[in-house]
Amino acid sequence: MIPRYERCTCKECEVFAGIFGSAFWHGNVSPSMHYWLSKESTLTRLPMAAFPHIRKICKAGFIVDSNGNNKYLIHHERMALPTLYISGGRSLLVTPETSFLANKYMKLHQPGFRHERVVVEGFGHSDLLIGEESDKKVFPHILSHIRSAEGGNGAISAPGRKYTKEAALEWEDDPYEEYGGFDSWFSPLVVVLLFFFLFLMIVL
Ligand SMILES: [Zn+2]
């Protein structure tokens, strides 16, 4: 739901937040973006078909296919690509720990590719991409990662691994841990993978 100190009189915004949780800090988006989101974007007609699938994911505690089968986590070899994780430092809907775990997962299973993570202070979730200042505070990280990943097809050490298994398994050293905890509706692993697929949607 929209935090109590976030005042919004737009009924579409309230409905959306009631279904998903509030996805952005209102102060980070322009009035025109807020109007477009609420009145003109495809979000005004929200398909509900994905919810039975999301329910299965939440019940399993990790990503599963629409039939409830563990199809993705067991095939990390298919994710041979560089990744960049961006979390908002002002936690909303998901927490920075989700990208922390996803980054570790990829460093462990695809150590030959560049995997980076950024926590951008002041942002929540979708405002990372639609925020009025995203072009200054968020997009430069994406451009920088794309440029570095394009060199050598994303591989950072050829041949051999860049990240050690020991480093990938150090779970307690999140340098951004002061930004938020596990106060999310979904289990961390589910959010990690939802974020991962959001990332794939961005890069593909
Ligand atoms: Zn609103």
Side-chain angles (χ1 to χ4, degrees), residues 107 110-116 156 161-165:
K107 283 183 174 178
Q110 290 292 346
F113 289 87
R114 182 182 300 277
H115 305 294
E116 297 176 301
I156 50 176
R161 26 189 326 146
K162 171 71 173 178
Y163 307 108
T164 65
K165 197 171 186 176

Side-chain angles (χ1 to χ4, degrees), residues 8-103:
C8 182
T9 57
C10 172
K11 65 178 187 300
E12 290 90 347
C13 201
E14 291 273 4
V15 170
F16 187 81
I19 294 172
F20 288 102
S22 193
F24 59 88
W25 290 110
H26 279 65
N28 287 342
V29 302
S30 67
S32 57
M33 173 60 79
H34 185 266
Y35 181 85
W36 179 81
L37 275 177
S38 305
K39 308 290 186 185
E40 297 179 351
S41 75
T42 54
L43 295 180
T44 57
R45 293 184 181 180
L46 190 63
M48 306 300 281
F51 281 85
H53 187 186
I54 293 175
R55 181 171 181 267
K56 284 178 181 154
I57 294 171
C58 291
K59 285 185 74 176
F62 55 90
I63 191 79
V64 294
D65 69 9
S66 59
N67 294 316
N69 300 315
N70 180 15
K71 248 184 169 179
Y72 305 109
L73 286 180
I74 59 175
H75 289 299
H76 45 75
E77 77 281 0
R78 295 175 181 173
M79 296 187 282
L81 75 173
T83 59
L84 166 65
Y85 301 91
I86 302 177
S87 285
R90 192 182 176 199
S91 292
L92 189 68
L93 192 61
V94 297
T95 71
E97 274 168 300
T98 58
S99 61
F100 175 71
L101 295 175
N103 192 29

